[in-house]
Amino acid sequence: MTFDDKPWITQSGHRFDFSRRQFLRSAASVGLIGLGGAASVFGARPAAAQTPVRGGSLTVAYTAPVDSMDPRVAYSVAGQQFMGSIFDNLIFDNNGQLEPMLATSWAAENGAREWVFNLREGVKFHDGSDFTSADVVATYEMAMDKTAGGRMYNAAGPLSAVTAEGPLRVRLTYSQPFSDGPSAVASRFMRILPAGKFDQLTDHPIGTGPFMYKSFEPGSSATAVKNPNYWDPERPYLDQLTIVGIADSVTQQAALRSGNVDVLSGIQTETFLSLRNVSGLIARSEPGTNYHCLITQINMAPFDNLKVREAFRYLIDRNMLIASALLGQGGVGTDSPFQVTDAYYPKDLPLRNQDLPRAKKLLEDSGVGPLNLDIFTMSERPPSPRIAVALKDAASKVGIGININDVPYTEYAANVTRQRPLYTTGTFATASNLFTNLFLLYHSKGAVNYSQTESGPGVDALIEEILATTDQERKIEMVNEVVSKIVLYSEKIIPYFMNTSVVMNGRVQGYTFPRFDLIDMGRVWVS
Amino acid sequence: MPLWLLITRRIAVMVISLFFVALLTFLIVNVLPGDVATAILGDTATPDQVAALRGSLGLDQPVLLRFMKWFFDLLQGDFGTSLTFNRPVGPMIAGRLLNSATLALICMIVVIPVSILFGAIAAVKQGSLLDRAITGLTTFLFGMPEYVLALGAMLIFAIWLQWLPGAAMINPGESLFLHLDTLVLPVLVISLGGATYIIQMTRASMIDVLASPYVRTALLKGIPRWQVILKHALPNAMLPTLVEIGLSFGALLGGLVIIETIFNFAGIGQLMVMAVQSRDVPVLQACVLVIAAAYSLGSLLADIASMLLNPKLRN
Amino acid sequence: MIPQRHEIRQAGVENAVLAIENLSITYGKGSEAVHAVRGVTLSIAPGEAYGLIGESGSGKSTVAFSCMGHVAGGEIETGSIKLKGENLLRLSPAGWQSVRGNRVAMVYQDPMNALNPAFKLGAQVAEALIRHRNMTRKDALARAVELFRQVRLPDPENLAQRYPHQISGGQQQRVVIAMAIACEAELLIMDEPTTGLDITTEAHILDLIADLRKRLGMAILFISHNLRVVAQVCDRVGVLYAGQMVEEGPASEVLRRARHPYTMGLNNSLLPIDGAVKRLNPIPGSLPDLRNVPGGCIFAARCAYATPQCKDAVPAIQVVGSRHVSRCIFNEILPLAERAAETRKRFGPEESVPPQLSVVDLDFSYARPSLALPFLNRKEQSKALDRVTLAIRPGETLGIVGESGSGKSTLARCIAGLRAPTGGSVRMEGQRLEPLAGQRSRDARKRVQIVFQNPDSALNPMRTVGEIVSRPIGLYGNASGPEVAKRTAELLEMVNLSERYLTRFPRELSGGEKQRVNIARALAADPDIIICDEPTSALDISVQAAVLNTLIDLRAKRGVAYIFITHDLGVVRYIADRVAVMYSGSVLETGPVREVFANPGHAYTEMLLSAMPRGERHARHAPEEIVSRARPVQGQGCPFADRCLRYLGQECDAVTPPLRLGRNGHMVSCHIPLRT
C-alpha cells in the first residue's frame, strides 16, 4: 500500500498560465482570490454539449483505500472523496471558484473579522432530519476543540466563536481579520455534520450530500447510493458510487481494462504513461498542486546555520529530477509553495537550480566542519526517495556524506517528522486560501511548520497582515515579499511539482479534472 | 491414542499457543516504532495532537494492562473495537475470513487432486519426458515468488488477453459467488504456488513408495501395475503429503496477504496488512489469531486424516 | 565365457520345476555395465529344496528376482528360465501377471517392509487369491484365515483383521509365507527369509518351511548367505561367486567337503559349532569389479591356492562327486591342501581379579512420548532395564545376548553415558560415574568407547578415514603434532587397514572396512573398555570373521576389554569369556561361556541354545513355544514366566526369582535351583 495520495496538507491553488490581469479579474468577480474560467472537463466531447443521463454506477480507484467514515479522521484522498460525496460544506470550492452549497450567500462584517452565512432552506439529512444552524454551530464548535476536532481544527482558521442567528443564519467570528474565511469554510475538512449524531459517524455516516452511505469494507472499498432528496433536484446522476483502493500498478491497469473500475485517480506516472495510448481510455496528466519537499529542520544543527541551508538549496539538479523521477510529468519547484507562473510568485525573483561551486563556497563560509548526515525518506510516497538519491549524489561532489534511510510510514510519522534534521516530505493542496497555504506552512505557529521557527525576518507579521487584508493588490505584494524571504530562509526545499494523472474509460462523463484531487461526484454521469 | 483424546489435546495445545501468539503479537506491535495515533494523524500532526489522541484511545496505559483487558474481553467473545475505524472487530473480520476461507478452500479443492495426480504420474513415469516436464515446471514455479506469478498472470490474462478481470472487486455484503470470474486469477496463482510443493512432495514420496518392498510384494503377487499403483502405492504415498496439505492450509491463509493485496481481494490478509500499517492492534490481533488457529486446525485435520489412513497411528 | 551346461546335465533336468540355463544379467549400459550374473545354470526337481549361497553382491537375489520377471534396472542378455518347460522370459507382461504369486511365489527378507502397512493382513493374503483363483472376497478371506492356521499363526480369525505393525517380526514372516503358499505355487522362492530375525524365531520359521515342504511338496529356491541355515533346509546347494556358479552339490557335502576354494573360505569363516577355540580363516580381499570382469578364474585374485595357470582361462565345470561339481582346476588336491586352523587361546582374567567396570542395579524407563501437555498425561512407563547388575574385569570379554527388545542396546548406551539411567549406577574401579558422558571426566570418557551396529551411519561421510581416526587422538590428548599422524597410521595397521586408507572417504569403503575404521576410532582414545553393539550383525559371514579376528588380535596386543552385545550365540561363544543372557530388561543368567553353554541354568538360555543352527538338515527343532500364558506384569515375578517350559505356576508369576549361584561365578535368576 502506498501513501502517495495522502494529502500532505495545504498548498495554493494558484498556478499555470493565467496572467496577472486574468487573475485579478477573476478574483474580483468572486470577491476573493481564485481561479478564472470553468473547471476544465475532459474527454474528446465537450460535456456541456450533452444532456446528462441518469442512472448507472461508477467505481473510482485510488492508490490508498477509504480510510475512515469520520470526516474529522478521513485522510486519504479516497476517504475525503467519499466524505465529500456523503457530506456537504457551507461553500463548495469548485477548483478555486467558490460556489454556494449549504450556504446560499455570505458576507464579511467588522473588517472581515466576522463572516455571516445564510443557510439553504429545506435541506434534509439522510435520516430525514432537517438541516439548521444548530448543525453548523455544533460542527464548528467541535472544530475549535483541539482533540475532538481532528483535522477540522487546523483547517478552520483562526476561529474564535460560532453563533446561530436564527435557524438559517450563522455567524463565524475570528480572532483576527480573516479575508479567506469563505475559502476556509470550503475546505475539504469542514463538512457539516448532524448535531448530536457525531458518535454514529464511524458506523453509519449521515450527511446532506448527494450520496448516502451504503457500506464500508475497511481497507478495501466503500459504497454509496443516490440521495433521492438532494437539495439540488438535478443531481446526482449516478445511482451508485463505489470508491476502492488499489495499491499495485498492474492491478490498477487490469481493473480498469477489465471494466471493474471506471476511473483511476492519483496514479503514478508510470501507470499513466502505460495507459496513455490505450484506445477507449481517456488519460490526462496536468500540472497539479502536489509537491514533495526536503525539510532542513531550522532548529537543529547543522541547519540552524543559514549558509548551510542555502548551500543545500543549490545541491539538487531540479530539471534532472523532473526528468528522471517524474518522467517529465511535472513542473520545476523553486522552494516556494507557488509555482513560477503563479501571480503570488515574484516576477523578478531569479529561478534557482543546481550550482555546486556556490554550494561549496557557502559551506566553506558557514564554518561548519565536514558534514555527514542521515536523510530519512519513505518508499510509500514515491518518488520522494529520488530526492534523497539526487541529494546524496550532488552532496558527495561537495564533500558532504549522506546516508539514506528508507523507513515505513508509521515509523516515519512517529520518529522522523520534527525529530530529525533532514527528511523528505510531501505537501498537497486542500484548499485555495492563504491560511492553509502560507500560515500553516510558514508562520512560526503554523501546524505544518515543522521547525516552529519564523521562516524569515518579519515573515510572521507579514502573514498575519496578509490574512487580514482584503485589498487584493496589497495582498499580492505582501505574498511576493513573503515568498522572496521564504525561498531563502524557510526549512522547505521544494524541487518539483507533480502532475495529477487520471485515466478513465470513455463512458464516464462530467468528471472534472481534480485540481485539488477531489471532484464533485454529484456532477458525474455515465453514458 | 484414541481420536477424541488426540483432538482434545491438540485443541488444548492450540488454545495455549494462541494465547502466546496473541501476547507476542501485542508485545511486538508495541515495540514497533509508531502507534495507531501517529498512524491516524500522520506526519503533519503536532505532538500535542498525537498525545491527545493517544489519551482518548487509552494508549497511555501500560502494555500488559491493555493486553489483559483485551484478553478478558476476548474471553467474553469480544474482539474489541478497531482503533482506526472505531468499529467492532468481530463483524469486520467475519466477512473477511469467510472470503479468505472460501478462496483458500477453492484453491485446496483445485490443488489437491490436480497436484496428487501430477505428482503420482511424474513418479510412475520417473525419468520420462513427462516427468522431466512436470519436475522442471514445478521447480521453475517453486522458485518464483507469488507476487511475480500474480503480476505475470495479471499481465497476461487481464491486460494482454483481457480474458479475466484482474482485481477482485467484491463489494461489501455481496456474495463471493456472484463474482466467480474474479476468483479465477487468484485461485490460479495460489494454486500454481501451492501445487508445485505438493506435486514435488507427492512425487518424492511416491518414488519412495514405488521402490518399497511392499509394492514389489504386490507386483510379485501378480497384481497389475496400475492396480498396485492405485491401491498399494498411492494411499501410502499420500501420508506425508497429507500432513503437508494440512499445514499448507494455514500457510495458505497466511500467504494470502500478498495475493489479496495484489488482487485487491477483501480477505483477511489484506485486512492484516492494513492493521499492521495503521498499528490497529485489536484488528491485527484478531487476524493473527484467526490465521494461527487456521494453522493449528489444518495440521489437526491432517493428523486426523493421516490417522485414518495410517493404521500405525490409529491405536 | 563358454557355457558349460552340457557337462552338468543332471538327472531330472527334463522334468525339472525350474530350469535356469546360461542366464546372464547385466545392469547398466556400455563401459559402466555391471555383469552381475554370468552363465548361471541350475535346475530344481519337483519337491526339491535348492540353496543358493554367496556373499552379498554375488548375484543370488538377482537370479531369484529374474525368476519372477522382476530385474529392476537389469537386462537379461542370454539364457532361459523354464518353469515346467515353459520359457518364462518369453512371457508378455500379462503372462507374467498370471505366473507371479500363482505359479511362482516369493518370501522376502525383512517381512515388516514386505507387507503393506496400510492393509489388513487378511486382505493382503486374499488379494492374490481373488486375482488368481477368481474367488469372491469373502471366500478369499476365509481361505486366508485357513492359511494363517496352516502357518501356525495364533488366533487366525482375529489376526486377519490386524495390521502388519501390530504383530511380531516372526509372525509377519509367517504372514508373508502364507501369502506365498496361498495359490499353491509350483515354485517357492525364499530370499533370506530368516535374516534379521531373532534366533528362536528363525528356528521356528525354518521348522515351518520344512513342515510345509513335507505337506505341500513344493519346489523351493532358498537364498541365504548363511551356510548353516541353507544346509539345514536344502537338499542341494549352489555357490555363487561374483555372478558365477563356482560349486554345486548336495548340501551336506558342500558344507563339509567343499571342492572350491571360495566355498572353503566361506566354511572357514563359520564360527565353530562345537565352541572350539580356533582361529577363523576368512577370505581375504573383496569381490571383483563386475564392470570389468577379469579373465581366467574369477576367484583367483583372492585364492590362496591360485597359480598363474588359473588366470589363463575360465575353469571348466568339473565333476567332483555324485551330483557334485566345482569350477576349480585344483579341486582334486584341495582337500589335502586345506590348512588346519590354528587354535586360539582363550584367555580371560582370573576370577579373583577385581572388576574394572561394574553396573549396579541399573534401571532405565522410557516415559511414553506424549504430544504435549504434561498434565494430560497419565504416567505411563515401560522399563527397558530392570535392576541390571554386571561386572567386567580388565581385559575380559563380556558377551551380552538376548533377543531384540531385551534391553541390551539400552544397557550399552547407559554404560557409555549416551542415555541417563533412571536408577542405579555405573562404576569405574569402584568410583561412581556420572550418568551422562558429557558430565563425566575426560579420563572416564576416554576409558569407555563404543562401536555401533551400523558402520555407515556412525561415520561422518564428509571426513576422510585419517580425519575420523585422528580426531579422538587429539581430543583425549594421547598425542600431538606429528605424533598424531604416526599414531593414526598405527591404529589403521592394527585393524588391518593400510596407510592408503588414510585419505579415503567412508563411501569408498566396504562394510567390513568401515567397521574396522569404527574400531580404530574407538581404539584411538586408548580405552580400557570397548562396547561393541552388534558390530558384525550387518556384515557378511566372511567379513564378520575378519572383524572378529581383528578384535581378538587387539585384545591380545592391547589388553582391552570388550562388552560384546549380540543376538548371535555363536559369536558370543566364540569371542566372549563370560556371558550375560538378557530378557525383557533383566539379566537372567551370567557366567563363564563354557559353563553357561555346557550347563545352561535358565530355561531361556536353554531355548536360545537349542535354536542355534547346527548346519545339518533338520538337525535342530525350534524350541516349543507357549502361547496361552498371559504376559507377566513388569516388575513382578519372572519376566520369562509366560514362555518358560519349566514354568512352576503361581510362584513364577508373583515372586521375583532368587539368584542361584553355580561354579566360577555362574549365576541364574530362577526359582529352580541350578543343576551341578
Side-chain angles (χ1 to χ4, degrees):
Chain A
M1 201 178 292
T2 64
F3 282 75
D4 65 316
D5 59 349
K6 282 235 174 186
W8 316 110
I9 248 164
T10 66
Q11 208 278 110
S12 151
H14 315 291
R15 74 202 84 75
F16 328 142
D17 45 359
F18 293 104
S19 70
R20 184 165 299 207
R21 198 150 25 105
Q22 277 176 309
F23 171 74
L24 289 175
R25 190 180 59 221
S26 62
S29 69
V30 186
L32 280 161
I33 53 159
L35 287 173
S40 66
V41 170
F42 358 11
R45 299 138 300 184
Q50 290 189 0
T51 319
V53 178
R54 293 181 186 284
S57 64
L58 185 78
T59 304
V60 185
Y62 293 87
T63 312
V66 175
D67 57 352
S68 179
M69 284 295 115
D70 186 339
R72 294 166 291 175
V73 174
Y75 197 32
S76 68
V77 182
Q80 292 177 355
Q81 181 67 68
F82 194 74
M83 290 297 95
S85 309
I86 303 285
F87 297 96
D88 287 331
N89 289 45
L90 289 180
I91 299 172
F92 179 58
D93 185 341
N94 191 3
N95 281 327
Q97 187 173 327
L98 301 184
E99 294 173 359
M101 208 169 198
L102 290 178
T104 49
S105 63
W106 53 94
E109 285 179 15
N110 196 10
R113 191 177 281 275
E114 289 170 24
W115 286 86
V116 178
F117 298 86
N118 291 311
L119 304 184
R120 195 179 292 277
E121 203 179 338
V123 175
K124 288 193 186 300
F125 280 100
H126 297 154
D127 62 351
S129 58
D130 289 324
F131 160 73
T132 66
S133 57
D135 299 305
V136 181
V137 169
T139 303
Y140 273 81
E141 272 182 345
M142 187 180 61
M144 288 187 286
D145 180 333
K146 201 170 200 168
T147 309
R151 291 178 199 290
M152 285 186 176
Y153 178 76
N154 283 338
L159 190 66
S160 59
V162 50
T163 44
E165 297 179 352
L168 293 174
R169 189 177 159 90
V170 166
R171 178 180 299 270
L172 296 182
T173 308
Y174 293 93
S175 56
Q176 64 162 85
F178 190 41
S179 59
D180 271 350
S183 175
V185 158
S187 155
R188 64 174 64 183
F189 297 111
M190 302 310 292
R191 314 291 186 197
I192 301 301
L193 313 178
K197 290 169 189 160
F198 294 170
D199 290 345
Q200 303 167 16
L201 287 175
T202 53
D203 212 27
H204 192 112
I206 292 162
T208 56
F211 292 94
M212 303 191 297
Y213 169 85
K214 185 184 168 202
S215 61
F216 173 46
E217 188 61 63
S220 177
S221 65
T223 302
V225 292
K226 176 178 184 158
N227 174 9
N229 304 317
Y230 193 51
W231 51 264
D232 181 351
E234 269 296 297
R235 293 179 293 145
Y237 305 117
L238 296 168
D239 285 342
Q240 181 165 302
L241 171 71
T242 302
I243 293 180
V244 298
I246 303 179
D248 186 81
S249 169
V250 175
T251 317
Q252 287 174 346
Q253 296 178 44
L256 182 67
R257 288 185 157 210
S258 62
N260 271 342
V261 155
D262 300 300
V263 183
L264 298 180
S265 187
I267 49 178
Q268 284 184 44
T269 313
E270 288 86 346
T271 315
F272 166 77
L273 290 177
S274 70
L275 288 173
R276 187 165 52 175
N277 296 319
V278 176
S279 70
L281 297 181
I282 298 159
R284 273 294 178 83
S285 170
E286 291 193 8
T289 51
N290 298 348
Y291 58 79
H292 286 153
C293 56
L294 191 64
I295 302 294
T296 53
Q297 201 78 21
I298 300 177
N299 52 354
M300 291 181 199
F303 300 110
D304 49 355
N305 185 322
L306 178 63
K307 287 210 158 55
V308 177
R309 284 213 299 284
E310 202 183 343
F312 269 66
R313 295 186 196 278
Y314 291 105
L315 286 177
I316 297 172
D317 184 341
R318 298 166 196 237
N319 294 326
M320 184 81 99
L321 196 57
I322 289 167
S324 66
L326 300 176
L327 305 170
Q329 304 290 313
V332 73
T334 56
D335 303 346
S336 132
F338 310 109
Q339 292 192 47
V340 287
T341 48
D342 198 304
Y344 282 145
Y345 193 83
K347 269 206 303 193
D348 47 349
L349 195 66
L351 294 186
R352 175 176 284 141
N353 209 340
Q354 190 182 42
D355 188 345
L356 295 179
R358 186 166 180 180
K360 198 167 180 147
K361 176 85 173 47
L362 281 163
L363 281 170
E364 279 162 12
D365 295 348
S366 71
V368 175
L371 286 177
N372 217 327
L373 298 168
D374 276 317
I375 184 167
F376 291 82
T377 184
M378 58 167 149
S379 293
E380 287 155 315
R381 190 186 285 160
S384 67
R386 306 290 285 266
I387 299 176
V389 174
L391 182 74
K392 182 189 168 113
D393 287 350
S396 70
K397 290 176 190 152
V398 297
I400 304 175
I402 300 272
N403 178 31
I404 299 176
N405 298 275
D406 192 337
V407 296
Y409 172 68
T410 310
E411 181 181 347
Y412 176 92
N415 293 342
V416 173
T417 318
R418 299 171 204 270
Q419 294 168 51
R420 299 281 182 172
L422 187 62
Y423 50 94
T424 68
T425 185
T427 304
F428 180 90
T430 57
S432 57
N433 63 70
L434 290 171
F435 176 74
T436 43
N437 296 323
L438 271 187
F439 181 86
L440 289 177
L441 291 166
Y442 293 99
H443 192 279
S444 62
K445 294 200 169 60
V448 203
N449 179 347
Y450 297 108
S451 304
Q452 297 284 294
T453 311
E454 195 173 32
S455 305
V459 165
D460 276 5
L462 270 170
I463 290 175
E464 282 158 27
E465 208 181 330
I466 288 167
L467 292 187
T469 187
T470 49
D471 176 350
Q472 285 306 312
E473 291 274 4
R474 174 78 189 118
K475 194 177 237 174
I476 288 167
E477 266 170 41
M478 285 191 291
V479 173
N480 284 345
E481 196 185 343
V482 168
V483 169
S484 62
K485 288 188 177 187
I486 61 176
V487 296
L488 187 61
Y489 290 97
S490 87
E491 62 184 9
K492 295 178 173 69
I493 298 174
I494 301 168
Y496 58 72
F497 285 82
M498 294 180 287
N499 279 13
T500 302
S501 304
V502 175
V503 186
M504 63 181 85
N505 64 34
R507 63 190 273 266
V508 182
Q509 306 287 343
Y511 197 99
T512 52
F513 193 82
R515 297 225 184 272
F516 295 94
D517 275 3
L518 299 191
I519 68 153
D520 180 3
M521 288 293 178
R523 298 170 200 240
V524 180
W525 53 283
V526 287
S527 59
Chain B
M1 195 184 300
L3 204 56
W4 66 266
L5 187 62
L6 174 99
I7 295 172
T8 326
R9 278 189 189 193
R10 291 291 294 271
I11 287 174
V13 173
M14 188 167 122
V15 169
I16 290 170
S17 47
L18 286 185
F19 173 82
F20 284 105
V21 164
L23 181 63
L24 207 65
T25 318
F26 212 97
L27 295 177
I28 288 173
V29 175
N30 206 61
V31 169
L32 286 180
D35 59 16
V36 70
T38 54
I40 289 175
L41 292 175
D43 55 353
T44 57
T46 56
D48 47 343
Q49 279 177 315
V50 174
L53 183 58
R54 216 168 257 158
S56 73
L57 290 174
L59 297 180
D60 43 0
Q61 288 168 338
V63 188
L64 283 178
L65 194 73
R66 276 186 281 143
F67 177 75
M68 290 319 283
K69 187 181 158 0
W70 173 85
F71 181 69
F72 285 116
D73 283 350
L74 183 71
L75 288 184
Q76 292 158 37
D78 180 6
F79 275 100
T81 304
S82 160
L83 298 177
T84 316
F85 299 108
N86 196 22
R87 292 181 160 208
V89 174
M92 212 157 123
I93 217 159
R96 299 283 193 146
L97 180 61
L98 189 69
N99 284 353
S100 286
T102 312
L103 183 60
L105 270 177
I106 293 175
C107 290
M108 298 301 259
I109 290 167
V110 172
V111 165
I112 295 171
V114 168
S115 37
I116 286 175
L117 183 74
F118 276 90
I121 288 174
V124 170
K125 304 264 174 205
Q126 193 192 353
S128 71
L129 204 65
L130 187 65
D131 174 38
R132 270 180 283 168
I134 292 173
T135 5
L137 198 66
T138 49
T139 314
F140 174 70
L141 291 174
F142 187 62
M144 199 178 283
E146 272 192 333
Y147 68 87
V148 175
L149 276 181
L151 294 180
M154 197 134 55
L155 270 174
I156 294 168
F157 294 107
I159 295 182
W160 291 346
L161 300 173
Q162 301 204 17
W163 289 351
L164 295 161
M169 293 297 152
I170 293 148
N171 289 328
E174 273 180 356
S175 164
L176 205 54
F177 294 97
L178 288 176
H179 300 271
L180 280 180
D181 58 334
T182 65
L183 289 179
V184 175
L185 277 186
V187 166
L188 180 77
V189 170
I190 298 167
S191 303
L192 276 180
T196 55
Y197 194 47
I198 300 176
I199 287 176
Q200 286 181 347
M201 281 284 305
T202 311
R203 179 178 177 273
S205 74
M206 191 72 177
I207 285 173
D208 278 357
V209 169
L210 285 176
S212 73
Y214 58 81
V215 163
R216 191 181 63 193
T217 305
L219 275 176
L220 298 189
K221 252 191 258 181
I223 312 296
R225 193 170 146 80
W226 64 269
Q227 216 175 321
V228 172
I229 289 167
L230 285 183
K231 229 176 115 182
H232 288 264
L234 201 55
N236 284 298
M238 291 272 297
L239 282 175
T241 314
L242 259 179
V243 177
E244 274 319 307
I245 290 173
L247 289 176
S248 71
F249 183 74
L252 200 64
L253 270 187
L256 287 178
V257 167
I258 294 163
I259 296 298
E260 287 180 354
T261 308
I262 292 179
F263 284 101
N264 209 54
F265 184 89
I268 197 119
Q270 198 197 35
L271 188 68
M272 190 161 85
V273 171
M274 202 188 59
V276 172
Q277 280 174 345
S278 59
R279 306 283 191 269
D280 195 339
V281 179
V283 176
L284 180 64
Q285 293 281 76
C287 291
V288 168
L289 279 188
V290 163
I291 289 171
Y295 258 100
S296 313
L297 216 63
S299 71
L300 176 64
L301 287 178
D303 280 357
I304 291 171
S306 48
M307 254 185 142
L308 296 179
L309 263 180
N310 187 352
K312 269 190 215 175
L313 296 174
R314 217 175 297 162
N315 38 23
Chain C
M1 228 162 303
I2 313 143
Q4 310 284 337
R5 61 189 175 83
H6 304 295
E7 299 161 47
I8 52 162
R9 278 224 175 262
Q10 287 155 355
V13 166
E14 286 75 20
N15 61 5
V17 174
L18 179 76
I20 297 177
E21 288 194 43
N22 194 29
L23 184 68
S24 292
I25 300 172
T26 305
Y27 291 100
K29 289 247 160 16
S31 61
E32 285 298 297
V34 174
H35 306 279
V37 174
R38 284 160 302 115
V40 166
T41 297
L42 66 87
S43 68
I44 304 174
E48 188 182 32
Y50 186 98
L52 201 54
I53 61 172
E55 290 170 284
S56 45
S58 61
K60 49 194 196 305
S61 287
T62 304
V63 171
F65 281 105
S66 68
C67 298
M68 297 291 273
H70 186 86
V71 192
E75 199 188 332
I76 296 175
E77 291 197 307
T78 61
S80 64
I81 301 172
K82 286 182 181 157
L83 182 67
K84 294 233 169 116
E86 183 190 358
N87 191 348
L88 297 178
L89 298 184
R90 297 221 182 94
L91 288 177
S92 64
W96 269 117
Q97 278 166 24
S98 64
V99 168
R100 290 171 181 164
N102 185 21
R103 297 179 61 199
V104 184
M106 196 156 175
V107 174
Y108 316 87
Q109 188 177 356
D110 194 7
M112 177 70 217
N113 291 321
L115 293 169
N116 191 326
F119 280 83
K120 287 178 182 168
L121 296 165
Q124 297 199 42
V125 175
E127 202 181 10
L129 290 165
I130 295 167
R131 169 97 196 135
H132 297 299
R133 291 284 176 269
N134 286 323
M135 285 191 182
T136 61
R137 197 179 154 71
K138 201 179 146 209
D139 289 351
L141 281 172
R143 171 91 178 111
V145 171
E146 178 50 36
L147 284 163
F148 286 157
R149 195 164 285 126
Q150 269 194 42
V151 295
R152 285 182 269 149
L153 278 164
D155 196 4
E157 284 87 359
N158 178 16
L159 198 113
Q161 297 301 317
R162 303 177 89 183
Y163 289 93
H165 71 277
Q166 295 172 310
I167 59 174
S168 71
Q171 288 175 330
Q172 284 167 352
Q173 194 58 297
R174 282 169 199 263
V175 171
V176 174
I177 292 172
M179 205 151 75
I181 62 171
C183 295
E184 287 155 349
E186 292 146 47
L187 175 69
L188 194 59
I189 300 172
M190 305 186 125
D191 186 7
E192 307 256 12
T194 60
T195 306
L197 297 179
D198 274 326
I199 187 165
T200 47
T201 316
E202 174 181 70
H204 284 290
I205 295 288
L206 292 178
D207 254 13
L208 173 69
I209 293 169
D211 178 50
L212 288 173
R213 243 188 96 192
K214 217 183 292 167
R215 280 192 285 148
L216 305 174
M218 42 180 56
I220 293 176
L221 176 59
F222 191 99
I223 289 159
S224 179
H225 72 281
N226 190 332
L227 277 79
R228 292 217 172 100
V229 168
V230 171
Q232 191 181 335
V233 172
C234 296
D235 307 308
R236 281 196 305 137
V237 174
V239 182
L240 212 53
Y241 176 74
Q244 200 173 47
M245 197 75 101
V246 294
E247 185 168 3
E248 184 185 64
S252 55
E253 222 177 289
V254 171
L255 188 66
R256 290 214 198 106
R257 289 182 292 279
R259 299 294 288 274
H260 191 280
Y262 177 61
T263 321
M264 286 163 59
L266 288 181
N267 287 344
N268 287 337
S269 302
L270 287 171
L271 301 167
I273 298 171
D274 51 7
V277 187
K278 60 180 186 185
R279 189 172 174 79
L280 298 173
N281 228 335
I283 310 163
S286 56
L287 282 171
D289 184 356
L290 290 181
R291 280 175 299 195
N292 190 7
V293 181
C297 175
I298 186 83
F299 187 64
R302 296 171 76 184
C303 184
Y305 311 98
T307 65
Q309 204 188 337
C310 293
K311 302 200 174 163
D312 290 347
V314 176
I317 292 250
Q318 320 231 340
V319 178
V320 296
S322 162
R323 304 188 71 198
H324 190 168
V325 294
S326 162
R327 209 186 266 273
C328 178
I329 53 176
F330 294 123
N331 68 77
E332 298 284 343
I333 55 166
L334 277 180
L336 308 170
E338 188 169 8
R339 291 171 299 176
E342 302 166 36
T343 48
R344 171 176 78 78
K345 271 202 191 115
R346 198 183 269 282
F347 48 93
E350 294 299 314
E351 276 300 311
S352 55
V353 176
Q356 186 163 41
L357 183 130
S358 57
V359 166
V360 184
D361 278 339
L362 210 62
D363 273 350
F364 186 87
S365 307
Y366 287 102
R368 277 264 184 100
S370 77
L371 285 163
L373 290 197
F375 59 86
L376 282 175
N377 255 330
R378 281 174 298 157
K379 280 272 176 227
E380 286 174 305
Q381 290 187 333
S382 71
K383 273 198 163 177
L385 293 178
D386 190 9
R387 282 163 295 161
V388 172
T389 299
L390 286 171
I392 178 164
R393 296 176 183 81
E396 187 179 48
T397 301
L398 171 67
I400 296 176
V401 285
E403 294 168 301
S404 49
S406 59
K408 53 193 194 303
S409 282
T410 310
L411 176 63
R413 273 146 214 270
C414 286
I415 296 173
L418 302 175
R419 286 240 164 95
T422 43
S425 61
V426 179
R427 290 160 196 264
M428 177 72 85
E429 279 154 7
Q431 295 289 316
R432 196 189 169 107
L433 291 178
E434 292 296 330
L436 284 174
Q439 306 161 325
R440 292 179 188 172
S441 70
R442 200 169 70 173
D443 183 57
R445 286 207 304 272
K446 158 185 134 51
R447 293 175 72 177
V448 181
Q449 294 291 314
I450 188 162
V451 173
F452 293 101
Q453 172 176 9
N454 189 339
D456 286 306
S457 51
L459 296 175
N460 184 341
M462 306 301 289
R463 298 222 184 280
T464 63
V465 169
E467 287 166 344
I468 289 168
V469 176
S470 60
R471 198 168 165 272
I473 303 179
L475 201 66
Y476 293 108
N478 293 331
S480 60
E483 273 285 290
V484 175
K486 193 171 150 253
R487 183 106 181 84
T488 307
E490 272 174 29
L491 285 165
L492 284 185
E493 202 195 314
M494 241 181 253
V495 295
N496 297 324
L497 293 174
S498 69
E499 275 184 49
R500 285 181 299 144
Y501 286 87
L502 279 172
T503 53
R504 296 201 188 167
F505 288 94
R507 60 172 182 275
E508 300 171 89
L509 307 180
S510 72
E513 287 167 342
K514 283 180 203 162
Q515 200 58 296
R516 274 183 266 173
V517 171
N518 273 322
I519 294 167
R521 176 173 60 181
L523 280 175
D526 197 14
D528 294 334
I529 297 167
I530 298 180
I531 302 165
C532 301
D533 187 4
E534 303 255 19
T536 61
S537 64
L539 305 176
D540 264 322
I541 277 184
S542 59
V543 183
Q544 166 177 298
V547 171
L548 292 180
N549 278 347
T550 305
L551 289 172
I552 288 165
D553 293 346
L554 285 173
R555 187 169 83 159
K557 278 185 227 160
R558 307 272 311 260
V560 63
Y562 298 117
I563 296 175
F564 200 101
I565 286 162
T566 180
H567 68 278
D568 188 336
L569 283 115
V571 173
V572 167
R573 180 163 58 180
Y574 181 70
I575 199 167
D577 305 312
R578 286 197 308 127
V579 62
V581 181
M582 286 190 73
Y583 182 80
S584 190
S586 302
V587 176
L588 298 186
E589 180 163 6
T590 75
V593 166
R594 258 174 303 192
E595 195 69 36
V596 171
F597 276 67
N599 185 19
H602 200 282
Y604 177 60
T605 315
E606 213 167 37
M607 183 191 260
L608 290 178
L609 288 176
S610 71
M612 278 179 76
R614 307 220 188 281
E616 293 293 329
R617 180 116 186 249
H618 311 309
R620 66 168 164 177
H621 278 288
E624 202 181 320
E625 278 287 340
I626 287 140
V627 288
S628 55
R629 262 179 245 153
R631 254 191 93 61
V633 181
Q634 240 185 357
Q636 267 181 33
C638 174
F640 190 61
D642 60 329
R643 289 172 69 188
C644 186
L645 290 175
R646 299 187 203 155
Y647 182 64
L648 300 174
Q650 192 59 34
E651 190 183 0
C652 291
D653 290 329
V655 185
T656 304
L659 213 56
R660 309 277 182 184
L661 298 182
R663 281 178 303 194
N664 303 329
H666 189 181
M667 282 186 276
V668 179
S669 161
C670 185
H671 290 287
I672 302 167
L674 256 176
R675 286 165 295 175
T676 45

